[in-house]
Structures are given as C-alpha cells and as structure tokens.
Amino acid sequence: MPPRYHQIRPEIVLRRAEELINVGQTVSALETLYDALLSKHLRNVNAANTEPFLRKFVELCIEQRCGKQLKEGLMQYRNIVQYTNPESLAAVIETMLENITKRVTSAQHNAEQVIVGAIEDLDETETPENLMMSLVSGEQSRDRADRALVTPWLKFLWEAYRNLLEILRNNVRFEALYQKISNKAIDFCRTYERKTEFHRLCELLRSHLQTITKYAHQQNSINLSNPETMQLFLDTHFHKLNTATEMELWQESYRSVEDIHDLIHQSKRPIHPQAMANYFEKLTRIMYVAKNPLFLAAAWHRYYNFIHRQTKIFTEEQLQSVANNVLLSTLAVPIIKPSSRILSAAAKENKQRTQRFSSLLFLSTAPTRVSLINDLISGDVLGRVLPELRPLYDLVEEQFHPLSICKKLSPILSEQIASNSDVAKYGTLLCNVILTRLLQQLSQVYTSVQLDFIFRLARFPQPYAMSPAEIERFIMHGARRGEFQLRIDHQTRSVVFDTDPFDSSQSLSNGAQLQASPSDLMRSQLSSLAICLSNAQRVACPEYTAEKQAEKASAVAAALKSMTEEHRLATARKLVIDRRKEIIEDTIARKERAEARERAMRIQREQELERERRAEEKRRREEERLKKERDAIQRAEAKKLAESIKQKAGLDVKIDDLEKMDTSKLLELQVEQIEKEKQDMQSRLKVLGRRMDHTERAYRKCEKPLLEDDYENQKKADRENHDSARKLQLEQSREKFEQDIAQKKRFLRMFDDFNSVRKQLDQGRSEALAAERKRVREELAQAREDRIAEYRRVKAEKEEAEARERAEKEARERAEQEAKAAKEAEMARLREELAAQRARDEEALRVRLELEAKREAENAKPKYVPPGKRNVATGSTVTPPPAVPPKPASSSASPGAPKKYVPPSLRRKQA
C-alpha cells in the first residue's frame, strides 16, 4: 500500500510513477497508480489535478494490456467527475481509443513485415517448412503472424469498447459519449469483419436498452421520452442495422429492425422520412433473404410510399429503380392459396410471424396479393417504371392468352430482367407465377392436355429456362400443396384438370378469365336460380309485383318520416362521441400536466440534490483547506525538529532532505543521536571515575594519621552533649510531678459532695429504671427468639446451598483432577523433553565455555583492577603501597574503647 501522501496528492503519485518508469519498473508504477486511484481519498481531489494522473494510468494499462485494471480505474474516475467535469472523461476515453487503434495498426504493419522478412527466396515463396506447417495446422504464415501479433491487440481493443459501454450505460450525463462509443464499436466490427463480436455487441446494446426501462426511476438514468435522447438511440440502431446488412448478418438485421420498431413506437417526435425510407429499404433485403415474396412486395410498397414524393433527396433514376422493384416483387407473389381439401397447418403456424411482419411494416392487417395489386394500380408506380416493363402487368394480370403468354414474356425476361442485376432476382419467381397463370388459364379452356403441349408452351429464355422434369416437379408440388386441381396421367402423358364442382379453391388475383370454372358455377347456382325465379314471378303475377312496389313506396315514406328522428339521434350520438373525445383529451391533458408536475418536481429534487452536493463540496474543500493548513504547520514543526536534530547531531545534511524524511527516519536519527551522546557520556564518566578513584585514594592516605585525634575529639563532644540533655530531662520530669500532686489535692476536697448527689439521683429514678429495664429485657428476649428462628432458617438454606455447592465442587474437583492428571502427564512428558534439551544445552554450553576459556587464555591481556581490590585480585603482580606508621595515640584515649566512624568530609573540616 502506498504511503498516505500518495493517496492524497495525485501529482506526487504521478511523480513517483514517473520515477519508477524511468528506472524500468513499469509494473510497479502501474500498481502505484492503481492503488492510489482506488483509494477513497482521491474522490475529494479536484478533477483538473486528476486528469494527468489518469492519462498516465491509461497509458500504462494500454502498454501492459491490463483490461481489468483499466476498467476499474475508469469506473472510479467516472464516479469522481460525473457531476463536476464529465468532459474530462470523454477526452481521456477518446485519447485511449486512438492510442489502442494506433497499436492495432502498428501490429498489422509489423505482421506484414514479419511475413515479408520470412521470405528468403522470392522465386520460391513456399518453403518446405511452410508446407509442413500448412499440412499440420491448416494455417498460412499470415494467419500465424496475425494470431501472434494482431489478435492480442484486437482482443484488447474489443474489451476496451465493451468495458466502456458497461461503464457509460444508463447515465444521462454520458449518453452522447455512450452513443459515440457504440458507433465506434460497430465500425470496429465492420472494419475488421468481426461477426462474432458484432453479435455480442448487438446483444449488449439490446440488454442496455432493456435496463433503461427497468431502472428509469434511478438518479441520472436516461429518459427515453426526451426527443434528443430518442434520436441518439435511433441513430445508433440505424447504424447497427446498416452494418449488419453490409456484413450480411441477417438475423442481427432482423433483430435490429425489431429494436428500431420498438423505439419508433416509444418516440414522441416524428421520425425523419429519410430514416424511415432506410428502415423499409433494409426490410426489403431482409425479406428477400427470408424468401417471403408477399412481405417482400409489401416492404417495397412501403419503401416507395416514403420516397416517391421526396424528389429533392432521391433522383428520378432511384425512384424508377424502386418502382421497378415494386412492380416485379408484386407480380412475383404466388397466386393461388391452398385448397380447402388440404390442411393449412403451415399457415396457422405462421400466423404469429405474419402478424409480426405486418407490425414491422406498420400495417394494421396482413397484406395480400389482391391488396398489393390494387395499390399498384391506384398509385403512380406504373407511370415510373421502365417503358419496357409496363407490358408485364397487362400480360400477367389483364390479358387472357394461354397459348402465347410465355412467348410474349420471353423478350422482357431475357432483355430487361436478366440483364438488370437489380431486378434479376425476381426472374425465377416470375417464371413460377407465369407457369401458374398458364396452367390456370389452360384449366379454363381444356379438360385435359398433353404434357408435351405444356412443355412447348412453358418455354422461358435463359437463364430462367425450365426443363420438362422441373416443370413436372413444379406441377406436382403445386398439386400436393393444393394450388392446382389436376392429375397427371403418365400412361397417356397428359394432364387432367379436376372439375370438382364442390372445390372451394379460387384465385387470389383478379386476373383475366375466359369462362367460369365448374366450382364457380356451383358457387353461383343458387343465386342464378333465384334470379330466374324472380323474373318468372314478375311475368306470371303482376299483382305481386304491384304489391311489392307499394310496400317499397310505404317503406320509403316511413324512412322519410323516421329520417328526422334518426338524424336527431345521430346528432346526439355525435355529441356524445365529441363529449367523450373531450373527456379523453382532458384526461390526457391532465395526465400530461401531472407528468409535467412530476418532471418539475423531479428536476427540483435534482436541483436540491445538486445544491446539497455543492454544499458538501464546499464543506469538503473547506476541510481540505484546513487540512492543508494543518499539514503546513506540521511540516514547519518537522522542519524545526529537523534543524534541531541537525544542530544536535552535527550531521552534514541539507534541511530539505530532512524535511522529505518521514517520521520513522527522523526518529531513527534521533535515536542514533541519543546513542551517540550516551556513549560519549559513558566514556567521560569512565575517565571521571578513574580520576575520582585516584583522588579518593590520595585523600585516604593523607587522612589516615589524623583519624585517632579526630576520634578523641568526637568522643569529648558526644559526652558533653549527653550530659546536658540528661540534666534537662530530669528537670522537666520533676516539674510535671509537682503539678500532678497539686491537682490531686484539689479533687479530693470535692469527692464527698459528688457521692452524696449521685446517691440521691439513683433513689428518685429507681422505679422508672426498673420498668424500663423489664421492657428492655422483654424486647431483648423477643429479639433473641426472632434471631434464633432467622438463624435456623438461614442455616437450613445455607446447609442446602452448601450441599449443592459441595456436590458441584466434588464434580468440579473430579473434572479438575482428571484435567490435572492429564496435565501432569503432559507436564511430565514436557519435563522429560525439557530435561533432555537442558542436558544437550548444558553440554553445548560447556563445550562453548571451554572453547572461550581456551581462546581467552591464548589472547589474555592485563586488565585494569581498582586499587582496593588489587590485594585480593587473582594473579595480580602489583605490590600494595607501604603502610604509613600510625602516630601514637593521645594520653586521653583509653586503649580498650571502641572507635566511631567519621565521614571524610567532616574529618577534613576537623583537620
């Protein structure tokens, strides 16, 4: 963990990291920056001071490809600057992505250089080693070079995009940056053709879009009701749709269309027509890949409806191309639906898909071939298509020419459709429709026809020519699905058309017909019979006709009468409907006002939170200022301490160097100074002690002759003091004794009077005293009995408690004895081990002492011995000084009296 000042000041941490980088320790520098960035103290630092710190951190993470640490660091920096300076994070991220992209480009260039440098002979590019490697691994040299050099940087760039999207998601302060990073990630997948990563990116963006709705109530969450935010999301998803279409990822394209459809439904602002045109244009490509001709034609219709009036954006050639696609896709839709005799399980299974496709095209009902043909006629599509393609509609839908339909359409198919790459994809579908129309028209003219006759009629130009086997397969496939009501007789090689009058199969198209089929006649038989009977009745019974006309006239008159009432009811109903609309509009207006109030309250709450945050920021800055002042005071005190240490220690160190030292270093210097002073003091005390020793020895030599005289003088002084003190004590005792005798005589004169007064008092209070004594004795007896009873009760309780405690104590003692026995056994084992260890230690100590003694004996030197111990020192060769002969004692001193010790200082004074 870095020191405390590394966590508080980013510039110091940055300086420390640069120092580590200069000495080649980039890993340690990254760890230092990472630890400081994740500390809580950095949250209170100004963002302007933190940005250079973060740039260096990002640079080291990119250099070492540490994606996890980079993500955590950026997330921490986002929390620091999202309220104060979000532009700083955007600048750092843009620089980071540019740096990583440059690394990827450089890796690609290095990979190409490696491939070129590996070729020794330009005439023989394939070496035996490369051939063997290609046989074993299936990879070429370029693939191996890319995997070794380019792939790690591509992976790191992809992880950077993904981590940035996770960091910036669902945050209104970074929504523009989030969309920008999303577009760059999409461009990355398109540039490097990363289809798997693009699929994961689409899933990630889709999950982020779902979480926006889920966590819309949180602070700083994105509000999709904001038009600008919705437009950003739409632009990003349209870009994703375009990229998926370019990369031919049709499943992701379809999902992107679904996402855009949901966003359009949520948007309150109308979508730009050009964007909607792009939406429907991509739908046409998706429906073509999905092989759904009906919705392909519907998508082209919707696309044309959005662009046919935008002549300023789309040129006439583009509109003509779209009109050609509309015409051909509409004519290519299959004609006949399955018969009622065939189970339409597939149609039922595809019902939900059909509804979903209709919703994507913003259609209330599913399109049909008839509705598409009607739209084709009612619009101006036929006026914009190529003149060469206009007869196609008449030949397929309007005219009845079963014997020449293929011959008339062949020039159009070969010259206009097959040669045009934009519409050539509809040729096969058109041939199927033409063949279906041919068989349909033949069934109206013939009952049976030869297969060879059908083969001759169904001749299409290249590349749409169909062999007889393919035509027969198409006929059988249509019959199996119920599109055709026919049978093939292979014995006679003929096609027999089914004339079942009860078949409900009918064309979905309003194409030209020569005559009604038997099934059509059966369906209209009852209506034809009713018409014939009505005509016969009108001729045979004119009275009935007159009666009906009269009834009709009366009905008309009744209708005219009730017309006013119906008009009034209709007006009233219209008023009711208008009133309901007004109520609904009022409800919607109230709801919008309530939402506006809630929005205003939310904005107010956010402003209050912002004010609180600013107040907190101000308080934090004030605390930082005070803390800086305290730090300045502490630094000043540390400087004074450093100067004092320098003065005391006498070290040749600069004050600035001492200031940079931490507390532990200063304490070490102080301890070193104290140890040095202690050693100096010990050396001085040693010298002084030796000097005092010699001085004391000289004093004793000089004072020894004077001790006898000094002792006699002391004895005289002590005797005089004792005699004077004894005399004073006897005088004081005699005086006190005389005072006590006089006091006794005075008290003896009052003793008789005292006894007489006491006797009188005792006689007067004898009865009351007896009664009081009796009462006291009774109370004492009662109290005694109570105490005895209480004592017995307490004793019984105590005995019970003692018995219980005794039982518990015995159980506890047993347990303690068992534990003690186990402990003693363990202690005995430990004693044995300790005794063995002690014996080994003693033996080792003995051997070491012998070695030391031998070494000391070899290297022995004479040591200093105090003068008082030189006589008893072992092995001393120094002779003691000669004794000074004592002087003869004075005549006043008794030879057998004990001598009293006198301190040398007093002796010198006496001398």
Short mmCIF file of all heavy atoms in Angstrom, two decimals, residues 694-718:
data_model
loop_
_atom_site.label_atom_id
_atom_site.label_comp_id
_atom_site.label_asym_id
_atom_site.label_seq_id
_atom_site.Cartn_x
_atom_site.Cartn_y
_atom_site.Cartn_z
N HIS A 694 41.46 7.78 41.97
CA HIS A 694 42.83 8.16 42.38
C HIS A 694 42.80 9.26 43.43
O HIS A 694 43.59 9.26 44.39
CB HIS A 694 43.63 8.62 41.16
CG HIS A 694 43.98 7.49 40.23
ND1 HIS A 694 44.94 6.55 40.50
CD2 HIS A 694 43.48 7.16 39.00
CE1 HIS A 694 45.03 5.68 39.50
NE2 HIS A 694 44.14 6.04 38.57
N THR A 695 41.89 10.21 43.27
CA THR A 695 41.81 11.32 44.24
C THR A 695 41.41 10.80 45.63
O THR A 695 41.97 11.21 46.66
CB THR A 695 40.80 12.36 43.76
OG1 THR A 695 41.17 12.81 42.46
CG2 THR A 695 40.77 13.56 44.71
N GLU A 696 40.39 9.89 45.66
CA GLU A 696 39.94 9.34 46.94
C GLU A 696 41.05 8.54 47.61
O GLU A 696 41.22 8.59 48.84
CB GLU A 696 38.72 8.44 46.70
CG GLU A 696 38.12 7.86 47.97
CD GLU A 696 37.53 8.91 48.87
OE1 GLU A 696 37.20 10.02 48.35
OE2 GLU A 696 37.38 8.66 50.08
N ARG A 697 41.82 7.82 46.85
CA ARG A 697 42.92 7.04 47.43
C ARG A 697 43.97 7.98 48.04
O ARG A 697 44.52 7.72 49.11
CB ARG A 697 43.54 6.16 46.34
CG ARG A 697 44.59 5.19 46.89
CD ARG A 697 45.00 4.14 45.88
NE ARG A 697 45.69 4.75 44.77
CZ ARG A 697 45.21 4.83 43.55
NH1 ARG A 697 44.00 4.37 43.28
NH2 ARG A 697 45.91 5.41 42.58
N ALA A 698 44.22 9.11 47.37
CA ALA A 698 45.19 10.07 47.92
C ALA A 698 44.66 10.70 49.20
O ALA A 698 45.41 10.90 50.17
CB ALA A 698 45.49 11.15 46.88
N TYR A 699 43.31 11.02 49.21
CA TYR A 699 42.71 11.56 50.44
C TYR A 699 42.88 10.59 51.60
O TYR A 699 43.21 10.98 52.72
CB TYR A 699 41.24 11.85 50.21
CG TYR A 699 40.99 13.14 49.43
CD1 TYR A 699 39.81 13.34 48.75
CD2 TYR A 699 41.94 14.17 49.43
CE1 TYR A 699 39.56 14.49 48.04
CE2 TYR A 699 41.72 15.32 48.73
CZ TYR A 699 40.53 15.49 48.02
OH TYR A 699 40.31 16.64 47.33
N ARG A 700 42.61 9.33 51.35
CA ARG A 700 42.68 8.36 52.46
C ARG A 700 44.10 8.19 52.97
O ARG A 700 44.34 7.99 54.17
CB ARG A 700 42.13 7.02 52.00
CG ARG A 700 40.63 7.06 51.75
CD ARG A 700 40.08 5.70 51.42
NE ARG A 700 38.64 5.74 51.19
CZ ARG A 700 37.89 4.68 50.94
NH1 ARG A 700 38.47 3.48 50.89
NH2 ARG A 700 36.60 4.80 50.75
N LYS A 701 45.06 8.26 52.06
CA LYS A 701 46.44 8.17 52.52
C LYS A 701 46.79 9.35 53.42
O LYS A 701 47.53 9.20 54.41
CB LYS A 701 47.38 8.16 51.31
CG LYS A 701 47.37 6.85 50.53
CD LYS A 701 48.35 6.92 49.36
CE LYS A 701 48.33 5.63 48.55
NZ LYS A 701 49.27 5.69 47.40
N CYS A 702 46.26 10.52 53.05
CA CYS A 702 46.60 11.70 53.84
C CYS A 702 45.86 11.77 55.18
O CYS A 702 46.37 12.30 56.16
CB CYS A 702 46.33 12.97 53.04
SG CYS A 702 47.36 13.15 51.59
N GLU A 703 44.61 11.28 55.23
CA GLU A 703 43.82 11.44 56.43
C GLU A 703 44.00 10.31 57.44
O GLU A 703 43.52 10.41 58.58
CB GLU A 703 42.33 11.52 56.05
CG GLU A 703 41.75 10.23 55.57
CD GLU A 703 40.31 10.38 55.17
OE1 GLU A 703 39.79 11.51 55.21
OE2 GLU A 703 39.69 9.37 54.80
N LYS A 704 44.67 9.24 57.04
CA LYS A 704 44.81 8.12 57.97
C LYS A 704 45.57 8.51 59.25
O LYS A 704 45.19 8.11 60.34
CB LYS A 704 45.53 6.99 57.25
CG LYS A 704 45.44 5.66 57.97
CD LYS A 704 45.96 4.53 57.07
CE LYS A 704 45.79 3.19 57.81
NZ LYS A 704 46.29 2.07 56.98
N PRO A 705 46.64 9.33 59.23
CA PRO A 705 47.30 9.71 60.51
C PRO A 705 46.42 10.59 61.40
O PRO A 705 46.66 10.67 62.61
CB PRO A 705 48.54 10.48 60.03
CG PRO A 705 48.76 10.04 58.63
CD PRO A 705 47.44 9.75 58.08
N LEU A 706 45.43 11.25 60.87
CA LEU A 706 44.62 12.18 61.65
C LEU A 706 43.37 11.53 62.24
O LEU A 706 42.58 12.20 62.90
CB LEU A 706 44.18 13.36 60.77
CG LEU A 706 45.33 14.13 60.09
CD1 LEU A 706 44.76 15.18 59.16
CD2 LEU A 706 46.23 14.76 61.15
N LEU A 707 43.15 10.25 61.96
CA LEU A 707 41.90 9.60 62.42
C LEU A 707 41.86 9.47 63.93
O LEU A 707 40.78 9.61 64.55
CB LEU A 707 41.77 8.22 61.77
CG LEU A 707 41.48 8.22 60.26
CD1 LEU A 707 41.42 6.80 59.73
CD2 LEU A 707 40.16 8.93 60.00
N GLU A 708 42.98 9.20 64.62
CA GLU A 708 42.98 8.99 66.07
C GLU A 708 42.61 10.30 66.79
O GLU A 708 41.77 10.30 67.71
CB GLU A 708 44.36 8.51 66.53
CG GLU A 708 44.75 7.13 66.02
CD GLU A 708 43.85 6.05 66.58
OE1 GLU A 708 43.28 6.26 67.66
OE2 GLU A 708 43.68 5.00 65.90
N ASP A 709 43.24 11.40 66.42
CA ASP A 709 42.92 12.68 67.06
C ASP A 709 41.46 13.07 66.80
O ASP A 709 40.77 13.58 67.69
CB ASP A 709 43.84 13.78 66.52
CG ASP A 709 45.30 13.52 66.88
OD1 ASP A 709 45.54 12.75 67.84
OD2 ASP A 709 46.16 14.06 66.16
N ASP A 710 41.04 12.78 65.60
CA ASP A 710 39.65 13.12 65.26
C ASP A 710 38.68 12.30 66.08
O ASP A 710 37.62 12.79 66.52
CB ASP A 710 39.44 12.87 63.77
CG ASP A 710 38.12 13.40 63.30
OD1 ASP A 710 37.56 14.29 63.98
OD2 ASP A 710 37.62 12.97 62.21
N TYR A 711 39.02 11.03 66.33
CA TYR A 711 38.16 10.17 67.13
C TYR A 711 38.06 10.64 68.57
O TYR A 711 36.97 10.66 69.17
CB TYR A 711 38.68 8.74 67.06
CG TYR A 711 37.88 7.76 67.89
CD1 TYR A 711 36.56 7.44 67.52
CD2 TYR A 711 38.44 7.18 69.04
CE1 TYR A 711 35.84 6.55 68.29
CE2 TYR A 711 37.70 6.29 69.79
CZ TYR A 711 36.39 5.98 69.40
OH TYR A 711 35.65 5.12 70.17
N GLU A 712 39.16 11.08 69.21
CA GLU A 712 39.14 11.55 70.59
C GLU A 712 38.33 12.83 70.71
O GLU A 712 37.54 13.01 71.65
CB GLU A 712 40.58 11.81 71.06
CG GLU A 712 41.42 10.55 71.23
CD GLU A 712 40.84 9.61 72.27
OE1 GLU A 712 40.19 10.11 73.23
OE2 GLU A 712 41.02 8.39 72.13
N ASN A 713 38.47 13.75 69.79
CA ASN A 713 37.67 14.98 69.81
C ASN A 713 36.19 14.69 69.68
O ASN A 713 35.34 15.33 70.34
CB ASN A 713 38.11 15.91 68.67
CG ASN A 713 39.55 16.40 68.85
OD1 ASN A 713 40.03 16.53 70.01
ND2 ASN A 713 40.22 16.67 67.74
N GLN A 714 35.85 13.72 68.88
CA GLN A 714 34.43 13.34 68.71
C GLN A 714 33.87 12.76 70.00
O GLN A 714 32.71 13.03 70.36
CB GLN A 714 34.32 12.32 67.56
CG GLN A 714 32.90 11.93 67.21
CD GLN A 714 32.14 13.08 66.59
OE1 GLN A 714 32.75 13.95 65.98
NE2 GLN A 714 30.82 13.11 66.81
N LYS A 715 34.63 11.98 70.71
CA LYS A 715 34.18 11.38 71.98
C LYS A 715 33.91 12.47 73.01
O LYS A 715 32.88 12.43 73.73
CB LYS A 715 35.24 10.41 72.52
CG LYS A 715 35.25 9.07 71.80
CD LYS A 715 36.38 8.18 72.31
CE LYS A 715 36.19 7.90 73.79
NZ LYS A 715 37.23 6.97 74.30
N LYS A 716 34.76 13.46 73.12
CA LYS A 716 34.55 14.55 74.07
C LYS A 716 33.27 15.30 73.75
O LYS A 716 32.47 15.62 74.64
CB LYS A 716 35.75 15.51 74.05
CG LYS A 716 37.03 14.94 74.63
CD LYS A 716 38.14 15.97 74.56
CE LYS A 716 39.46 15.42 75.10
NZ LYS A 716 40.56 16.40 75.05
N ALA A 717 33.06 15.62 72.50
CA ALA A 717 31.85 16.36 72.12
C ALA A 717 30.60 15.55 72.42
O ALA A 717 29.58 16.08 72.89
CB ALA A 717 31.93 16.73 70.65
N ASP A 718 30.62 14.27 72.18
CA ASP A 718 29.45 13.41 72.43
C ASP A 718 29.15 13.34 73.92
O ASP A 718 27.97 13.36 74.33
CB ASP A 718 29.69 12.00 71.89
CG ASP A 718 29.74 11.98 70.36
OD1 ASP A 718 29.25 12.97 69.73
OD2 ASP A 718 30.24 10.99 69.76
#
